[in-house]
Every structure is written in structure tokens, then in C-alpha cells.
Tab-separated table of all heavy atoms in Angstrom:
chain	number	residue	atom	x	y	z
A	1	VAL	N	0.839	-1.205	0.000
A	1	VAL	CA	0.000	0.000	0.000
A	1	VAL	C	0.872	1.253	0.000
A	1	VAL	O	0.597	2.211	-0.731
A	1	VAL	CB	-0.977	-0.018	1.197
A	1	VAL	CG1	-1.695	1.312	1.351
A	1	VAL	CG2	-1.989	-1.143	1.025
A	2	ALA	N	1.941	1.255	0.784
A	2	ALA	CA	2.849	2.408	0.833
A	2	ALA	C	3.469	2.677	-0.529
A	2	ALA	O	3.593	3.833	-0.949
A	2	ALA	CB	3.929	2.181	1.890
A	3	THR	N	3.849	1.619	-1.227
A	3	THR	CA	4.425	1.777	-2.565
A	3	THR	C	3.403	2.392	-3.518
A	3	THR	O	3.726	3.318	-4.272
A	3	THR	CB	4.902	0.410	-3.110
A	3	THR	OG1	5.910	-0.095	-2.246
A	3	THR	CG2	5.449	0.535	-4.515
A	4	LEU	N	2.186	1.892	-3.473
A	4	LEU	CA	1.139	2.434	-4.339
A	4	LEU	C	0.827	3.888	-3.985
A	4	LEU	O	0.616	4.716	-4.877
A	4	LEU	CB	-0.117	1.569	-4.254
A	4	LEU	CG	0.028	0.150	-4.805
A	4	LEU	CD1	-1.216	-0.673	-4.496
A	4	LEU	CD2	0.297	0.169	-6.299
A	5	LEU	N	0.818	4.190	-2.697
A	5	LEU	CA	0.606	5.579	-2.257
A	5	LEU	C	1.705	6.489	-2.794
A	5	LEU	O	1.425	7.588	-3.277
A	5	LEU	CB	0.594	5.654	-0.733
A	5	LEU	CG	-0.738	5.569	-0.038
A	5	LEU	CD1	-0.552	5.506	1.476
A	5	LEU	CD2	-1.648	6.714	-0.404
A	6	SER	N	2.944	6.033	-2.701
A	6	SER	CA	4.071	6.853	-3.153
A	6	SER	C	4.031	7.116	-4.655
A	6	SER	O	4.560	8.105	-5.131
A	6	SER	CB	5.398	6.198	-2.774
A	6	SER	OG	5.640	5.052	-3.575
A	7	LYS	N	3.348	6.236	-5.390
A	7	LYS	CA	3.216	6.409	-6.840
A	7	LYS	C	1.948	7.176	-7.208
A	7	LYS	O	1.657	7.368	-8.380
A	7	LYS	CB	3.244	5.051	-7.529
A	7	LYS	CG	4.578	4.354	-7.370
A	7	LYS	CD	4.620	3.042	-8.086
A	7	LYS	CE	5.979	2.413	-7.810
A	7	LYS	NZ	6.426	1.550	-8.851
A	8	GLY	N	1.185	7.578	-6.190
A	8	GLY	CA	-0.016	8.358	-6.429
A	8	GLY	C	-1.175	7.576	-7.020
A	8	GLY	O	-2.042	8.132	-7.675
A	9	VAL	N	-1.200	6.269	-6.769
A	9	VAL	CA	-2.248	5.417	-7.327
A	9	VAL	C	-3.610	5.757	-6.720
A	9	VAL	O	-4.631	5.677	-7.393
A	9	VAL	CB	-1.903	3.927	-7.131
A	9	VAL	CG1	-3.035	3.025	-7.572
A	9	VAL	CG2	-0.621	3.585	-7.881
A	10	PHE	N	-3.621	6.146	-5.444
A	10	PHE	CA	-4.862	6.543	-4.786
A	10	PHE	C	-4.514	7.562	-3.701
A	10	PHE	O	-3.380	7.625	-3.238
A	10	PHE	CB	-5.615	5.342	-4.197
A	10	PHE	CG	-4.779	4.430	-3.347
A	10	PHE	CD1	-4.537	4.713	-2.023
A	10	PHE	CD2	-4.237	3.280	-3.898
A	10	PHE	CE1	-3.759	3.872	-1.246
A	10	PHE	CE2	-3.460	2.431	-3.127
A	10	PHE	CZ	-3.221	2.730	-1.791
A	11	PRO	N	-5.493	8.383	-3.309
A	11	PRO	CA	-5.223	9.403	-2.283
A	11	PRO	C	-5.004	8.792	-0.890
A	11	PRO	O	-5.573	7.749	-0.573
A	11	PRO	CB	-6.488	10.269	-2.289
A	11	PRO	CG	-7.441	9.660	-3.244
A	11	PRO	CD	-6.824	8.450	-3.855
A	12	HIS	N	-4.202	9.450	-0.091
A	12	HIS	CA	-3.859	8.955	1.244
A	12	HIS	C	-5.101	8.722	2.110
A	12	HIS	O	-5.158	7.740	2.857
A	12	HIS	CB	-2.910	9.931	1.945
A	12	HIS	CG	-2.473	9.448	3.295
A	12	HIS	ND1	-1.670	8.344	3.457
A	12	HIS	CD2	-2.755	9.901	4.548
A	12	HIS	CE1	-1.465	8.135	4.751
A	12	HIS	NE2	-2.108	9.076	5.430
A	13	GLU	N	-6.087	9.586	1.990
A	13	GLU	CA	-7.282	9.446	2.834
A	13	GLU	C	-8.119	8.206	2.489
A	13	GLU	O	-8.964	7.783	3.269
A	13	GLU	CB	-8.158	10.712	2.789
A	13	GLU	CG	-8.583	11.154	1.414
A	13	GLU	CD	-7.568	12.079	0.725
A	13	GLU	OE1	-6.520	12.398	1.313
A	13	GLU	OE2	-7.836	12.455	-0.417
A	14	GLU	N	-7.859	7.612	1.322
A	14	GLU	CA	-8.568	6.390	0.936
A	14	GLU	C	-7.711	5.131	1.141
A	14	GLU	O	-8.051	4.049	0.677
A	14	GLU	CB	-9.017	6.497	-0.520
A	14	GLU	CG	-10.027	7.602	-0.747
A	14	GLU	CD	-10.424	7.757	-2.199
A	14	GLU	OE1	-10.140	6.838	-3.008
A	14	GLU	OE2	-11.010	8.790	-2.531
A	15	ARG	N	-6.621	5.301	1.863
A	15	ARG	CA	-5.648	4.223	2.085
A	15	ARG	C	-6.280	2.950	2.653
A	15	ARG	O	-6.054	1.863	2.141
A	15	ARG	CB	-4.564	4.739	3.020
A	15	ARG	CG	-3.481	3.757	3.347
A	15	ARG	CD	-2.464	4.404	4.290
A	15	ARG	NE	-1.268	3.594	4.392
A	15	ARG	CZ	-1.124	2.566	5.207
A	15	ARG	NH1	-2.111	2.209	5.990
A	15	ARG	NH2	-0.001	1.887	5.230
A	16	ASN	N	-7.063	3.070	3.696
A	16	ASN	CA	-7.635	1.886	4.354
A	16	ASN	C	-8.619	1.149	3.458
A	16	ASN	O	-8.652	-0.081	3.459
A	16	ASN	CB	-8.286	2.268	5.682
A	16	ASN	CG	-7.259	2.613	6.736
A	16	ASN	OD1	-6.145	2.114	6.705
A	16	ASN	ND2	-7.620	3.489	7.662
A	17	GLU	N	-9.435	1.900	2.717
A	17	GLU	CA	-10.385	1.248	1.806
A	17	GLU	C	-9.645	0.469	0.726
A	17	GLU	O	-9.991	-0.666	0.404
A	17	GLU	CB	-11.328	2.273	1.162
A	17	GLU	CG	-12.293	2.918	2.129
A	17	GLU	CD	-11.696	4.120	2.853
A	17	GLU	OE1	-10.732	4.723	2.348
A	17	GLU	OE2	-12.189	4.439	3.949
A	18	TYR	N	-8.607	1.105	0.165
A	18	TYR	CA	-7.824	0.432	-0.874
A	18	TYR	C	-7.060	-0.754	-0.312
A	18	TYR	O	-6.936	-1.787	-0.959
A	18	TYR	CB	-6.873	1.415	-1.572
A	18	TYR	CG	-7.548	2.172	-2.675
A	18	TYR	CD1	-8.106	3.424	-2.458
A	18	TYR	CD2	-7.652	1.620	-3.953
A	18	TYR	CE1	-8.742	4.113	-3.476
A	18	TYR	CE2	-8.282	2.298	-4.977
A	18	TYR	CZ	-8.819	3.550	-4.731
A	18	TYR	OH	-9.450	4.219	-5.742
A	19	LYS	N	-6.571	-0.620	0.910
A	19	LYS	CA	-5.851	-1.732	1.541
A	19	LYS	C	-6.762	-2.948	1.643
A	19	LYS	O	-6.353	-4.066	1.310
A	19	LYS	CB	-5.352	-1.317	2.921
A	19	LYS	CG	-4.624	-2.417	3.661
A	19	LYS	CD	-4.154	-1.931	5.024
A	19	LYS	CE	-3.517	-3.036	5.822
A	19	LYS	NZ	-3.038	-2.576	7.135
A	20	LYS	N	-8.010	-2.738	2.072
A	20	LYS	CA	-8.961	-3.842	2.178
A	20	LYS	C	-9.242	-4.465	0.817
A	20	LYS	O	-9.282	-5.691	0.684
A	20	LYS	CB	-10.274	-3.356	2.806
A	20	LYS	CG	-10.164	-3.034	4.273
A	20	LYS	CD	-11.462	-2.466	4.805
A	20	LYS	CE	-11.300	-1.948	6.216
A	20	LYS	NZ	-12.497	-1.245	6.685
A	21	MET	N	-9.440	-3.623	-0.200
A	21	MET	CA	-9.726	-4.137	-1.551
A	21	MET	C	-8.542	-4.902	-2.127
A	21	MET	O	-8.706	-5.964	-2.720
A	21	MET	CB	-10.109	-2.985	-2.489
A	21	MET	CG	-11.484	-2.418	-2.217
A	21	MET	SD	-12.015	-1.216	-3.459
A	21	MET	CE	-10.885	0.133	-3.166
A	22	ILE	N	-7.352	-4.348	-1.937
A	22	ILE	CA	-6.141	-5.001	-2.447
A	22	ILE	C	-5.935	-6.341	-1.749
A	22	ILE	O	-5.636	-7.351	-2.402
A	22	ILE	CB	-4.911	-4.078	-2.266
A	22	ILE	CG1	-5.042	-2.843	-3.161
A	22	ILE	CG2	-3.617	-4.836	-2.557
A	22	ILE	CD1	-4.062	-1.727	-2.815
A	23	LEU	N	-6.101	-6.360	-0.452
A	23	LEU	CA	-5.928	-7.593	0.318
A	23	LEU	C	-6.928	-8.655	-0.130
A	23	LEU	O	-6.567	-9.821	-0.321
A	23	LEU	CB	-6.080	-7.291	1.808
A	23	LEU	CG	-5.551	-8.299	2.793
A	23	LEU	CD1	-4.100	-8.661	2.509
A	23	LEU	CD2	-5.674	-7.754	4.213
A	24	GLU	N	-8.162	-8.261	-0.334
A	24	GLU	CA	-9.185	-9.200	-0.809
A	24	GLU	C	-8.823	-9.740	-2.193
A	24	GLU	O	-8.928	-10.945	-2.448
A	24	GLU	CB	-10.549	-8.517	-0.854
A	24	GLU	CG	-11.663	-9.431	-1.285
A	24	GLU	CD	-13.020	-8.741	-1.297
A	24	GLU	OE1	-13.180	-7.679	-0.670
A	24	GLU	OE2	-13.922	-9.278	-1.960
A	25	ASP	N	-8.356	-8.860	-3.064
A	25	ASP	CA	-7.967	-9.279	-4.413
A	25	ASP	C	-6.787	-10.252	-4.368
A	25	ASP	O	-6.787	-11.277	-5.052
A	25	ASP	CB	-7.624	-8.051	-5.260
A	25	ASP	CG	-7.325	-8.406	-6.699
A	25	ASP	OD1	-8.179	-9.063	-7.344
A	25	ASP	OD2	-6.239	-8.040	-7.189
A	26	LEU	N	-5.791	-9.943	-3.559
A	26	LEU	CA	-4.628	-10.822	-3.437
A	26	LEU	C	-5.028	-12.193	-2.889
A	26	LEU	O	-4.566	-13.227	-3.382
A	26	LEU	CB	-3.567	-10.191	-2.525
A	26	LEU	CG	-2.868	-8.940	-3.045
A	26	LEU	CD1	-2.001	-8.324	-1.961
A	26	LEU	CD2	-2.052	-9.233	-4.293
A	27	ARG	N	-5.893	-12.205	-1.891
A	27	ARG	CA	-6.355	-13.477	-1.318
A	27	ARG	C	-7.150	-14.290	-2.337
A	27	ARG	O	-7.013	-15.517	-2.400
A	27	ARG	CB	-7.181	-13.218	-0.060
A	27	ARG	CG	-6.332	-12.795	1.110
A	27	ARG	CD	-7.161	-12.528	2.341
A	27	ARG	NE	-6.305	-12.203	3.485
A	27	ARG	CZ	-6.652	-11.408	4.463
A	27	ARG	NH1	-7.856	-10.858	4.477
A	27	ARG	NH2	-5.826	-11.161	5.451
A	28	ASP	N	-8.000	-13.620	-3.107
A	28	ASP	CA	-8.775	-14.315	-4.150
A	28	ASP	C	-7.849	-14.945	-5.186
A	28	ASP	O	-8.042	-16.093	-5.592
A	28	ASP	CB	-9.749	-13.361	-4.838
A	28	ASP	CG	-10.920	-12.959	-3.966
A	28	ASP	OD1	-11.137	-13.595	-2.909
A	28	ASP	OD2	-11.620	-11.991	-4.342
A	29	LYS	N	-6.853	-14.187	-5.619
A	29	LYS	CA	-5.902	-14.710	-6.605
A	29	LYS	C	-5.119	-15.891	-6.039
A	29	LYS	O	-4.887	-16.880	-6.739
A	29	LYS	CB	-4.946	-13.606	-7.056
A	29	LYS	CG	-5.601	-12.571	-7.939
A	29	LYS	CD	-4.621	-11.476	-8.310
A	29	LYS	CE	-5.301	-10.436	-9.189
A	29	LYS	NZ	-4.389	-9.328	-9.532
A	30	CYS	N	-4.724	-15.783	-4.794
A	30	CYS	CA	-3.978	-16.860	-4.146
A	30	CYS	C	-4.845	-18.118	-4.047
A	30	CYS	O	-4.374	-19.229	-4.327
A	30	CYS	CB	-3.509	-16.402	-2.767
A	30	CYS	SG	-2.267	-17.470	-2.025
A	31	ALA	N	-6.091	-17.959	-3.691
A	31	ALA	CA	-7.015	-19.099	-3.591
A	31	ALA	C	-7.208	-19.755	-4.959
A	31	ALA	O	-7.244	-20.987	-5.063
A	31	ALA	CB	-8.357	-18.644	-3.022
A	32	GLU	N	-7.305	-18.960	-6.006
A	32	GLU	CA	-7.460	-19.506	-7.363
A	32	GLU	C	-6.222	-20.318	-7.754
A	32	GLU	O	-6.334	-21.397	-8.328
A	32	GLU	CB	-7.691	-18.378	-8.364
A	32	GLU	CG	-7.808	-18.837	-9.797
A	32	GLU	CD	-9.000	-19.746	-10.068
A	32	GLU	OE1	-10.036	-19.592	-9.400
A	32	GLU	OE2	-8.875	-20.624	-10.940
A	33	ILE	N	-5.057	-19.820	-7.428
A	33	ILE	CA	-3.835	-20.559	-7.753
A	33	ILE	C	-3.770	-21.854	-6.947
A	33	ILE	O	-3.349	-22.890	-7.475
A	33	ILE	CB	-2.585	-19.683	-7.536
A	33	ILE	CG1	-2.558	-18.579	-8.607
A	33	ILE	CG2	-1.308	-20.518	-7.604
A	33	ILE	CD1	-1.460	-17.564	-8.441
A	34	GLU	N	-4.198	-21.825	-5.697
A	34	GLU	CA	-4.224	-23.048	-4.880
A	34	GLU	C	-5.117	-24.103	-5.548
A	34	GLU	O	-4.770	-25.286	-5.576
A	34	GLU	CB	-4.718	-22.751	-3.464
A	34	GLU	CG	-3.769	-21.927	-2.623
A	34	GLU	CD	-2.522	-22.668	-2.189
A	34	GLU	OE1	-2.423	-23.899	-2.372
A	34	GLU	OE2	-1.622	-21.997	-1.647
A	35	ILE	N	-6.245	-23.679	-6.072
A	35	ILE	CA	-7.144	-24.604	-6.781
A	35	ILE	C	-6.442	-25.176	-8.009
A	35	ILE	O	-6.495	-26.380	-8.272
A	35	ILE	CB	-8.462	-23.887	-7.172
A	35	ILE	CG1	-9.276	-23.591	-5.914
A	35	ILE	CG2	-9.260	-24.716	-8.175
A	35	ILE	CD1	-10.430	-22.639	-6.142
A	36	ARG	N	-5.770	-24.319	-8.746
A	36	ARG	CA	-5.074	-24.761	-9.954
A	36	ARG	C	-3.930	-25.716	-9.630
A	36	ARG	O	-3.645	-26.635	-10.393
A	36	ARG	CB	-4.561	-23.555	-10.742
A	36	ARG	CG	-5.677	-22.733	-11.350
A	36	ARG	CD	-5.145	-21.554	-12.108
A	36	ARG	NE	-6.231	-20.761	-12.676
A	36	ARG	CZ	-6.068	-19.851	-13.617
A	36	ARG	NH1	-4.857	-19.609	-14.100
A	36	ARG	NH2	-7.098	-19.175	-14.071
A	37	LEU	N	-3.283	-25.509	-8.497
A	37	LEU	CA	-2.183	-26.391	-8.106
A	37	LEU	C	-2.662	-27.815	-7.837
A	37	LEU	O	-1.907	-28.768	-7.988
A	37	LEU	CB	-1.465	-25.841	-6.867
A	37	LEU	CG	-0.499	-24.687	-7.129
A	37	LEU	CD1	-0.115	-24.011	-5.816
A	37	LEU	CD2	0.726	-25.169	-7.872
A	38	ARG	N	-3.919	-27.946	-7.462
A	38	ARG	CA	-4.470	-29.276	-7.202
A	38	ARG	C	-4.826	-30.015	-8.493
A	38	ARG	O	-5.167	-31.205	-8.436
A	38	ARG	CB	-5.692	-29.158	-6.293
A	38	ARG	CG	-5.319	-28.729	-4.878
A	38	ARG	CD	-6.449	-28.910	-3.887
A	38	ARG	NE	-7.596	-28.060	-4.109
A	38	ARG	CZ	-7.793	-26.860	-3.562
A	38	ARG	NH1	-6.882	-26.356	-2.761
A	38	ARG	NH2	-8.891	-26.184	-3.807
A	39	ALA	N	-4.752	-29.326	-9.613
A	39	ALA	CA	-5.045	-29.950	-10.908
A	39	ALA	C	-3.905	-29.641	-11.880
A	39	ALA	O	-4.036	-28.827	-12.784
A	39	ALA	CB	-6.372	-29.423	-11.457
A	40	PRO	N	-2.747	-30.288	-11.681
A	40	PRO	CA	-1.554	-29.943	-12.456
A	40	PRO	C	-1.646	-30.216	-13.958
A	40	PRO	O	-0.865	-29.677	-14.727
A	40	PRO	CB	-0.447	-30.776	-11.813
A	40	PRO	CG	-1.148	-31.892	-11.133
A	40	PRO	CD	-2.496	-31.370	-10.729
A	41	LYS	N	-2.601	-31.021	-14.374
A	41	LYS	CA	-2.720	-31.316	-15.803
A	41	LYS	C	-3.772	-30.452	-16.499
A	41	LYS	O	-4.010	-30.589	-17.689
A	41	LYS	CB	-3.016	-32.788	-16.015
A	41	LYS	CG	-1.851	-33.668	-15.573
A	41	LYS	CD	-1.901	-35.013	-16.221
A	41	LYS	CE	-0.759	-35.859	-15.721
A	41	LYS	NZ	0.428	-35.783	-16.519
A	42	VAL	N	-4.379	-29.550	-15.733
A	42	VAL	CA	-5.326	-28.593	-16.313
A	42	VAL	C	-4.601	-27.259	-16.430
A	42	VAL	O	-4.098	-26.730	-15.444
A	42	VAL	CB	-6.589	-28.448	-15.439
A	42	VAL	CG1	-7.520	-27.393	-16.020
A	42	VAL	CG2	-7.297	-29.784	-15.292
A	43	VAL	N	-4.561	-26.735	-17.646
A	43	VAL	CA	-3.845	-25.488	-17.894
A	43	VAL	C	-4.835	-24.474	-18.461
A	43	VAL	O	-5.629	-24.795	-19.341
A	43	VAL	CB	-2.675	-25.708	-18.887
A	43	VAL	CG1	-1.961	-24.414	-19.180
A	43	VAL	CG2	-1.705	-26.748	-18.342
A	44	TYR	N	-4.763	-23.256	-17.963
A	44	TYR	CA	-5.668	-22.185	-18.377
A	44	TYR	C	-4.963	-21.265	-19.373
A	44	TYR	O	-3.735	-21.141	-19.361
A	44	TYR	CB	-6.133	-21.398	-17.153
A	44	TYR	CG	-6.957	-22.243	-16.212
A	44	TYR	CD1	-6.343	-23.106	-15.297
A	44	TYR	CD2	-8.335	-22.213	-16.250
A	44	TYR	CE1	-7.092	-23.897	-14.441
A	44	TYR	CE2	-9.097	-23.008	-15.403
A	44	TYR	CZ	-8.472	-23.840	-14.508
A	44	TYR	OH	-9.213	-24.622	-13.668
A	45	SER	N	-5.754	-20.618	-20.207
A	45	SER	CA	-5.181	-19.787	-21.266
A	45	SER	C	-4.290	-18.679	-20.707
A	45	SER	O	-3.250	-18.369	-21.294
A	45	SER	CB	-6.276	-19.196	-22.156
A	45	SER	OG	-7.123	-18.355	-21.409
A	46	ASP	N	-4.665	-18.079	-19.577
A	46	ASP	CA	-3.828	-17.028	-19.007
A	46	ASP	C	-2.465	-17.572	-18.588
A	46	ASP	O	-1.452	-16.872	-18.666
A	46	ASP	CB	-4.524	-16.335	-17.835
A	46	ASP	CG	-4.801	-17.262	-16.661
A	46	ASP	OD1	-5.328	-18.364	-16.883
A	46	ASP	OD2	-4.498	-16.867	-15.517
A	47	GLU	N	-2.422	-18.835	-18.200
A	47	GLU	CA	-1.146	-19.445	-17.817
A	47	GLU	C	-0.289	-19.720	-19.045
A	47	GLU	O	0.937	-19.580	-18.996
A	47	GLU	CB	-1.393	-20.740	-17.049
A	47	GLU	CG	-2.067	-20.495	-15.711
A	47	GLU	CD	-2.459	-21.767	-15.010
A	47	GLU	OE1	-3.035	-22.666	-15.653
A	47	GLU	OE2	-2.195	-21.858	-13.800
């Protein structure tokens, strides 16, 4: 979040809201990869 703030991605006063959204997004992506790891012979186009 500090790195994104320093680059002006979002205003400082919206830091906590963005932190929650970013954290949720990162967790969702991590969960999706965990699912994909359980199926090593299934490959997705983005991969």
C-alpha cells in the first residue's frame, strides 16, 4: 500500500479502503492458484 501511495495510485485518505480491496484481491488470486495447483494437468489460457 505504501508503494502504491508513493506512486499516487490513490489518495492517502482512501488508504484503508484500498488496503482492504487489495488484500481481498490478493487473497482471491492466491485461492485460485491453490485450486489450480491441485489440478496440475489442467492449464488455463492465461497461464
Side-chain angles (χ1 to χ4, degrees):
V1 171
T3 299
L4 294 172
L5 266 174
S6 72
K7 295 182 182 208
V9 174
F10 50 83
H12 183 67
E13 55 273 0
E14 296 177 15
R15 180 180 192 276
N16 288 332
E17 292 85 23
Y18 276 94
K19 179 180 176 179
K20 289 176 189 173
M21 287 188 292
I22 293 166
L23 198 52
E24 182 179 342
D25 185 55
L26 292 172
R27 287 179 176 149
D28 288 347
K29 288 178 180 178
C30 194
E32 178 63 31
I33 290 174
E34 291 289 351
I35 291 168
R36 292 180 181 195
L37 282 166
R38 291 193 294 268
K41 294 201 182 268
V42 177
V43 178
Y44 296 81
S45 62
D46 63 312
E47 294 173 314

